[in-house]
Amino acid sequence: MKVLITGNPNKDLCSEIVPLLESDGHECFCVSRATGHDFQDNPSHTIHEILKLSDSYDVFINLYANYFFNASILAQKLFNRWNEKGYGDRRIINVGSTTDRVKKGKSNLYHYEKLALRELSSGLSLIGVWDNGPKVTHLSFGTLENRSKDNPGRRCLDMKRAAGYVQWILQQPKEININELSIDPVQY
């Protein structure tokens, strides 16, 4: 399969996903600042460029960390584009965060951006299941090991293991959609 990923293949979770998927024979292409796709400078243009690219791919993995809800906007526009073109056999994996389930007040946008992505993914996944639209999975992780310094004392999820969950989703047969998977390292 051809896989389009928002993320830098040399950083963070993307650096674990790309080699794992390529070892399975998938062809991966990443879009990030490193490849000239910068959401902060011109988000509308970047989204438009990614949408054009997406027509040549079977899978879209949305690792984008958010910038004024652009991860959700990109997911919605890409889903609609693929749905209108009849690409019901394609998959979208939106990677979120379990921070969106925290039930105490938050003042930072990250929490609400991830919550919006989860809610959007939930609605879009139903279209994929019931109306032959693209298959959508919302995959959320707790704190990953690359953020351990920011969270002293917290158990963090190994990024290779997290990448394995992405791989597992792509290994599912076409007639199965994993609507949502939420993973946290146990804290005790």
Side-chain angles (χ1 to χ4, degrees):
M1 284 188 278
K2 291 180 70 178
V3 182
L4 180 63
I5 306 171
T6 53
N8 184 327
N10 300 311
K11 290 178 64 178
D12 301 321
L13 185 55
C14 193
S15 70
E16 299 294 341
I17 291 173
V18 170
L20 187 60
L21 296 184
E22 287 178 342
S23 73
D24 278 350
H26 301 299
E27 178 185 329
C28 298
F29 180 73
C30 299
V31 290
S32 68
R33 280 187 209 123
T35 61
H37 301 90
D38 191 342
F39 282 95
Q40 291 182 0
D41 286 347
N42 192 342
S44 296
H45 175 74
T46 299
I47 289 171
H48 180 73
E49 290 298 311
I50 293 170
L51 292 175
K52 287 192 306 186
L53 281 170
S54 75
D55 287 339
S56 301
Y57 291 85
D58 307 299
V59 175
F60 174 65
I61 301 174
N62 193 1
L63 288 177
Y64 181 51
N66 281 321
Y67 183 74
F68 294 107
F69 296 90
N70 283 316
S72 295
I73 293 167
L74 174 58
Q76 186 262 345
K77 287 181 178 289
L78 192 136
F79 178 89
N80 286 343
R81 181 183 185 99
W82 281 3
N83 197 36
E84 289 166 6
K85 292 184 176 223
Y87 297 159
D89 60 339
R90 297 190 179 184
R91 290 193 185 263
I92 298 169
I93 300 173
N94 290 319
V95 178
S97 171
T98 59
T99 189
D100 67 7
R101 293 182 182 252
V102 174
K103 298 298 181 199
K104 60 183 182 178
K106 296 273 187 170
S107 64
N108 65 346
L109 273 182
Y110 181 81
H111 168 82
Y112 298 104
E113 288 169 327
K114 293 300 186 180
L115 181 59
L117 185 62
R118 178 189 299 274
E119 291 299 317
L120 176 69
S121 298
S122 179
L124 298 179
S125 72
L126 293 175
I127 297 169
V129 169
W130 292 100
D131 296 323
N132 197 34
K135 307 309 175 265
V136 177
T137 299
H138 185 267
L139 176 58
S140 59
F141 297 114
T143 306
L144 295 172
E145 67 184 347
N146 63 325
R147 300 287 182 243
S148 63
K149 289 180 184 174
D150 300 332
N151 299 281
R154 184 182 297 175
R155 289 183 185 218
C156 298
L157 185 62
D158 177 79
M159 290 200 305
K160 286 187 188 315
R161 179 175 281 177
Y165 289 110
V166 173
Q167 179 187 39
W168 177 77
I169 291 167
L170 294 182
Q171 292 170 339
Q172 300 309 302
K174 287 192 180 276
E175 67 273 7
I176 297 294
N177 187 55
I178 307 300
N179 299 316
E180 183 174 349
L181 187 58
S182 184
I183 301 152
D184 268 311
V186 175
Q187 306 294 319
Y188 50 84

